[in-house]
Amino acid sequence: MQKALFLDRDGVVNVEKDYLYKIEDFEFIDGIVELCLYYQNKGYKIFVVTNQSGIARKYYNEDDFSALSRWMILEFKKNGVIIKKVYHCPHHPDISGICNCRKPHDGMLQAAKKEFNIDLKNSIIIGDKERDIEAGLNAGLSETYLFDESKTIKESKATKIVSKLGDIYNADTQ
Ligand SMILES: [Mg+2]
Ligand SMILES: [Zn+2]
């Protein structure tokens, strides 16, 4: 079984911009490559798990999303980081009905488990919203990190709230 590092996309991999789908608007967050390399070297497979209700809302479509994902994966690759797969939820409950993939549901993590034989219990999720943490807890992950650059979030079910991505694995090495 493989351990996984699950990354939320908007607000963890890239700077949060509402309903981002254009490559020119995509800005990597400081430290994301280093964080990925750290866990990759420890044997974690890296996945992106992202809610993309902009698709249900018709702000952009599946092709736009795929094009951006391909570009993002390539940029990671240039830096030595292999993203195993990008899972996305294109739904919104008010528009397309209830689904089991939209976080806080754990459908995307369960899909990765099935497809790549992932050991969820020993996997990690990093998100910038409580629903990312809840998705991780629903899947039985033991480590969950809430990334809050603004340092405004005081309460979370996460293992730890961090304001810098580096603080996640710096704590790990102590
Ligand atoms: Mg996010
Ligand atoms: Zn969904």
Side-chain angles (χ1 to χ4, degrees), residues 88-92 99-102:
H88 75 290
C89 165
H91 309 115
H92 188 279
C99 66
N100 66 10
C101 42
R102 184 174 165 83

Side-chain angles (χ1 to χ4, degrees), residues 2 6 13 18 43 104 110 113 127 168:
Q2 301 267 16
F6 293 104
V13 173
D18 280 349
Q110 296 295 348
K113 174 191 165 152
I168 294 169

Side-chain angles (χ1 to χ4, degrees), residues 8 10-11 16 128-129 132:
D8 173 41
D10 301 299
E16 168 81 57
D128 70 326
K129 299 237 168 71
D132 301 315

